[in-house]
């Protein structure tokens, strides 16, 4: 419900697209990690610690964008530094794992090929 309220709030109080999209993706990823098990035969009554770590990492990547937004846009002019690149790689890996959990191996394999 909070996810929906966030989107409704953004209609009337917009924020920069980069920040809004990073929050959208991070919360979506966190939800995927909490709803879809890593393995099909995994017990779904208890959330493993690794899923909590992945959900937290997803939220951390959005937090990085929120905190560093001014520096990314103004000081660096969109040119990434090493930490930006590391955070981007972590985000892509988190997205690939979330895609694997939801669709199986086909989507991450196609993403790596193309």
């Amino acid at each position: 419900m909070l996810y929906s309220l966030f989107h409704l709030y953004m209609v009337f109080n917009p924020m920069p697209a980069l920040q809004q999209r990073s929050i959208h993706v991070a919360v979506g990823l966190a939800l995927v990690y909490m709803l879809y098990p890593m393995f099909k035969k995994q017990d779904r009554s208890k959330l493993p610690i690794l899923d909590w770590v992945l959900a937290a990492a997803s939220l951390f990547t959005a937090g990085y964008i929120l905190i560093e937004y001014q520096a990314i846009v103004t000081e660096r002019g969109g040119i990434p530094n090493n930490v930006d690149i590391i955070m981007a790689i972590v985000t892509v890996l988190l997205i690939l794992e979330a895609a694997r959990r939801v669709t199986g191996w086909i989507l991450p394999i196609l993403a790596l090929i193309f």
Side-chain angles (χ1 to χ4, degrees), residues 15-79:
M15 62 176 20
L18 180 63
Q19 291 178 330
Q20 182 179 354
R21 290 174 185 159
S22 67
I23 293 170
H24 174 82
V25 169
V27 173
L29 286 174
L31 288 173
V32 166
Y33 291 128
M34 292 182 189
L35 293 173
Y36 290 90
M38 185 173 285
F39 307 107
K40 289 184 180 184
K41 296 183 181 183
Q42 185 174 342
D43 181 24
R44 295 183 73 168
S45 65
K46 183 179 150 188
L47 198 59
I49 190 75
L50 181 60
D51 290 346
W52 285 107
V53 170
L54 292 173
S58 301
L59 296 174
F60 180 76
T61 58
Y64 177 78
I65 295 292
L66 292 174
I67 293 169
E68 291 291 317
Y69 178 75
Q70 283 302 111
I72 291 170
V73 173
T74 58
E75 294 172 18
R76 297 195 290 265
I79 299 171

